[in-house]
Amino acid sequence: RRLKAVALGTGVLCAGSIKDSAFRCDSGEGHSQNPMPLRHAAPRRPFHWHLWHWFRVWVRCLTLALRAMPLLTLAPLCWMCWEHGGERWMWRCILAALQAEGPIAIKFAQWASTRPDILPRSVCDHLSPLQASVRPHSFRQTKRILTETFGPTWENSLQLEAEPLGSGCMAQVHRGCLHGPLQGQLPTKQDVASEQPRNVAVKVLHPGAQDKVDLDLEVMWRMVGLIEAFWPPSRFLAMSEAVMHFESFVRPQADLRIEADNLDMFNNNFPYRRTGKGLRVIFPEVLRPYVTKDLLVESLEDGMPLQAVLGQASRANSASRDCKAAPATAVEELREEVGGLCMDAFLKMLFADNFIHADLHPGNIHFNRRQVRDSGPMQSELVIFDAGLAVQMSPKDRRNFVDVFYALTTNDGKRAAQLMVERTPGDRSLVRNEDEFVASVGQLVNEVCDMGFSLGKVRLGECFGRMLSLACDHRVKLETSFVTVATSIIVLEGVGRQLNPIADLA
């Protein structure tokens, strides 16, 4: 058995068939649904291709390890000088290492920065800059991508600021002014509004981002294959499913065409920009046909970053000074209003539209204060960016999710667990100790409901995390869309807890 495991592990790691990722984007009414990675055997390729790919994966592993070495080397020194500047240098090294590791490490840090309920407040504060200020690429690289897309004369029609407005794990955004139609290899149909000049935001994918994502995911798949080969019981930990869920979460953000389709759908679902009615939520407007895989031109939307009013006590005074959008509004009242808008917008996406923004961390949410009428009061409106990841459940998945959600909110945890088992996409015969799973979920839901559904009392992130952990322990396979929506709720709950902890989710 041991020799068989070693042989299988070596085959998986070295010369085995490399599993490529393909995506199914089921289009409906001009938008992309939730991309689902389909792992399948690659077509026959020559041996030298497998050898080169294996070499690149190992080089990536070595690169990740070497980039972490300075942090590991300086950590003891920073710890000894913790009270004399060591903490500051330690966090500088951590942030530098995370940005050097690539998009996947940054995405994890962005999620961690929204969880002050499970991580120390100081950790969240130090990681929060990665929500909107990741190290940008050079303006020369941005100009190169624009030249490849629109040709060498693009500067005659588009003026672009060299300093980016913001930089995320996958792309960065520049402020620009569009004076006329751009030429290039794009479709000739012009859907751009006639008014010129027009202030725009130009989003450009980081060079090499797609390649880093591909290699990092391949490293994760190979590590899972190696672990399962050497330790067969680990297959019951559903690590392959976990990597598949994570892959479906990350990959769509490396294609700006998907984000453009998602923005069109969100603008249809939230018509406040056009009509002034409905929830006060605005999404950038895509300026077609200026959309490619690596570049996206959209309307420029100004707003105050949500970080300015987040609930850290240490930021309260500075937030009230910096919040120019609402100088006469108490920070506490502003948090309550903005927090209510965030929750209302998410619930509308989830239940009314079935099209959910699945990356609502604070860096992607801004707000404005405007006077609705000439004599009306000042009201807040949300501006939501970075719609690269959106989830649309199939009718079957939606029905399953609503049934489970209804059972949870009506304090019927056992019914929710039974539905999860009965409607699992996996083999129900592989579920381990079904009765214990049902009883454990029922007890978990009872504990939550006894505390009420106020964010200040119940920890939804912990609740969903424990539920997913129970499903993993008892081998209950869940739909990818369910896991993605649950993860979105966990992230948004972290934001809502800081903005308005007394909000009642029921």
Side-chain angles (χ1 to χ4, degrees), residues 394-413:
S394 67
K396 178 182 177 181
D397 293 343
R398 178 175 169 80
R399 183 177 65 253
N400 293 341
F401 180 84
V402 171
D403 290 345
V404 171
F405 195 89
Y406 178 78
L408 293 174
T409 55
T410 55
N411 195 12
D412 193 355

Side-chain angles (χ1 to χ4, degrees), residues 129-142:
L130 293 179
Q131 294 170 1
S133 58
V134 178
R135 183 186 303 135
H137 61 257
S138 68
F139 188 58
R140 178 177 55 83
Q141 292 173 309
T142 295

Side-chain angles (χ1 to χ4, degrees), residues 1 25 30-31 46 80 86 118 155 188 222 278 282 312 365 478:
R1 289 180 189 172
C25 292
H31 64 276
M80 288 186 293
I118 61 177
E155 291 183 273
T188 56
R222 289 179 179 274
I282 293 175
Q312 287 88 339
I365 306 175
L478 303 175

Side-chain angles (χ1 to χ4, degrees), residues 21-32:
S21 297
F23 286 88
R24 179 178 69 246
C25 292
D26 301 325
S27 295
E29 300 180 1
H31 64 276
S32 300

Side-chain angles (χ1 to χ4, degrees), residues 60 63-64 67-68 71 91-110 126-137 167-170 172 206-207 209 212 216:
R60 180 61 178 165
T63 302
L64 294 174
R67 286 175 174 170
L71 175 62
W91 279 108
R92 283 188 178 182
C93 293
I94 291 175
L95 294 180
L98 288 172
Q99 295 183 73
E101 298 290 12
I104 288 181
I106 297 171
K107 181 60 64 178
F108 176 78
Q110 289 176 342
H126 283 101
L127 292 177
S128 60
L130 293 179
Q131 294 170 1
S133 58
V134 178
R135 183 186 303 135
H137 61 257
S167 179
C169 64
M170 292 289 185
Q172 66 188 43
H206 292 311
K212 289 181 180 179
D216 288 349

Side-chain angles (χ1 to χ4, degrees), residues 95-372:
L95 294 180
L98 288 172
Q99 295 183 73
E101 298 290 12
I104 288 181
I106 297 171
K107 181 60 64 178
F108 176 78
Q110 289 176 342
W111 170 83
S113 66
T114 67
R115 305 304 306 170
D117 55 325
I118 61 177
L119 293 174
R121 182 80 65 180
S122 60
V123 173
C124 297
D125 287 345
H126 283 101
L127 292 177
S128 60
L130 293 179
Q131 294 170 1
S133 58
V134 178
R135 183 186 303 135
H137 61 257
S138 68
F139 188 58
R140 178 177 55 83
Q141 292 173 309
T142 295
K143 293 174 68 175
R144 177 180 58 80
I145 294 174
L146 285 165
T147 301
E148 293 174 355
T149 304
F150 300 124
T153 62
W154 64 268
E155 291 183 273
N156 297 334
S157 302
L158 176 65
Q159 291 181 347
L160 209 62
E161 293 184 2
E163 188 70 22
L165 290 174
S167 179
C169 64
M170 292 289 185
Q172 66 188 43
V173 179
H174 292 264
R175 181 193 299 268
C177 184
L178 188 62
H179 294 280
L182 293 166
Q183 304 297 325
Q185 302 174 356
L186 296 175
T188 56
K189 180 182 177 181
Q190 295 295 320
D191 296 333
V192 180
S194 58
E195 59 267 17
Q196 302 290 352
R198 180 172 184 176
N199 292 327
V200 297
V202 180
K203 188 169 186 176
V204 183
L205 201 70
H206 292 311
Q210 179 71 71
D211 191 50
K212 289 181 180 179
V213 168
D214 292 340
L215 286 175
D216 288 349
L217 289 172
E218 194 63 45
V219 169
M220 295 171 69
W221 276 110
R222 289 179 179 274
M223 289 180 63
V224 168
L226 189 62
I227 293 172
E228 291 181 347
F230 279 96
W231 186 35
S234 65
R235 296 173 185 172
F236 298 122
L237 298 177
M239 290 188 291
S240 296
E241 286 80 1
V243 176
M244 183 172 293
H245 290 321
F246 185 73
E247 183 174 1
S248 68
F249 181 82
V250 171
R251 278 196 182 276
Q253 300 178 68
D255 190 342
L256 296 183
R257 294 170 298 185
I258 295 177
E259 178 170 356
D261 292 341
N262 293 341
L263 285 173
D264 289 341
M265 188 63 180
F266 281 123
N267 276 305
N268 289 332
N269 294 339
F270 292 87
Y272 177 75
R273 170 200 291 276
R274 304 187 308 272
T275 66
K277 299 178 181 179
L279 281 178
R280 301 184 301 277
V281 179
I282 293 175
F283 289 85
E285 178 185 7
V286 179
L287 302 186
R288 295 186 182 274
Y290 306 140
V291 179
T292 68
K293 183 178 182 297
D294 300 323
L295 185 142
L296 168 63
V297 181
E298 59 190 11
S299 62
L300 180 66
E301 307 294 341
D302 293 322
M304 179 66 61
L306 194 62
Q307 290 97 326
V309 292
L310 284 182
Q312 287 88 339
S314 60
R315 295 183 181 178
N317 294 332
S318 60
S320 61
R321 291 194 303 267
D322 297 339
C323 190
K324 301 177 182 179
T329 304
V331 175
E332 291 76 12
E333 296 177 3
L334 193 57
R335 289 178 193 153
E336 182 176 353
E337 184 179 6
V338 174
L341 269 178
C342 289
M343 298 306 300
D344 290 343
F346 181 78
L347 293 177
K348 182 180 184 299
M349 296 176 193
L350 180 60
F351 293 109
D353 304 331
N354 186 27
F355 199 73
I356 306 144
H357 192 302
D359 196 18
L360 288 174
H361 63 76
N364 289 338
I365 306 175
H366 290 207
F367 71 95
N368 286 316
R369 294 282 295 177
R370 290 182 181 174
Q371 195 169 18
V372 180

